[in-house]
Amino acid sequence: MSNNFYDKVAKKFGGYHTPSRHTTEYPNDDPEKIFKEKLLELSSKDKKALDVGCADGRFTLSIALYFKKITAIDVSEEMLKSAKKLQEEQKVTNVIFEKQDAFHTAYDDSSFDLIYNRRGPDNYPESYRLLKPGCFLIQIDIGEKDCQEIKQVFGRGQGFCEWDNSKLEKDRKALTEVGFEVVYAKDFFYAEYYPTYEDLDLFLQGVPIFEDFDSKKDKRLLEVYVTRFKTEKGIKFPRHRVVILAQK
Ligand SMILES: C[S@@+](CC[C@H](N)C(=O)[O-])C[C@H]1O[C@@H](n2cnc3c(N)ncnc32)[C@H](O)[C@@H]1O
């Protein structure tokens, strides 16, 4: 994934978010809620946490009060700029945003009591090195079936045609290989509903589902998708997330 993409998004929208509207329906459970619950269960005011791929730091800052300190890393300078701006506005003092490549950081072995990763890069060997023994890595990641339908209409996209390669099993194997014990791993399927074509178009401009998404060039394809997936609840947009908890 090019870092350039995240720099562009941060420049255009002032962070990692767009003002597009949607509602969400969870037939089972909300993976973000489960991820956050598990993360906060592991939090404490004497722990130092690492946030891998923090983007604009919105989430980092929202949980800062549960930790002694959070080190939040990213490679996108524009995202880090947005994060630092938000930090100043919110006057949060126990977070440090740093430009670091998640695969090769400058931190010592066993520097952290907890590592979390909210759709950041899968840097398992480095996370293992950075964690203290007995401590946890928790992550929420994008599943292989995420937005499969729109990618099929477009004939491209992040993880295109990977639908049958379980991300959960791939991650479980990779984590185990570096020495982690996977203590929780679950797939979550749910759907977002965008009220209008414009909301979906705006959403797609700010996420890497199609890094090359172009509102003008992709208009015809998006119209095909919208016609096919229009429901009385809005334009259906199926999502897939994987939540994993692993112990060193
Ligand atoms: C989907 S966003 C993460 C969103 C963020 N964690 C949140 O909670 O909103 C992925 C982020 O990972 C960052 N990233 C990609 N490769 C990286 C690397 N090798 N090291 C550090 N950050 C990286 C990107 O710049 C981007 O900001």
Side-chain angles (χ1 to χ4, degrees), residues 3 6 16 53-55 59 74-76 79 100-103 118-119 121:
N3 303 318
Y6 287 101
Y16 190 48
C54 60
F59 181 79
D74 207 288
V75 281
S76 162
M79 283 293 173
Q100 292 274 338
D101 177 358
F103 296 93
R118 199 165 166 257
R119 291 173 280 108

Side-chain angles (χ1 to χ4, degrees), residues 59 76-78 130 193 198 208 212 231:
F59 181 79
S76 162
E77 283 182 12
E78 292 299 327
L130 296 174
Y193 293 91
E198 287 71 25
D212 57 351
T231 72

Side-chain angles (χ1 to χ4, degrees), residues 30 56 62 97 179 208 230:
D30 172 357
D56 65 7
S62 76
F97 289 106
K230 207 172 216 165

Side-chain angles (χ1 to χ4, degrees), residues 25-39:
E25 264 186 16
Y26 303 101
N28 302 307
D29 229 329
D30 172 357
E32 283 288 350
K33 188 176 121 252
I34 302 289
F35 168 78
K36 194 169 172 184
E37 273 171 16
K38 290 191 178 293
L39 171 60

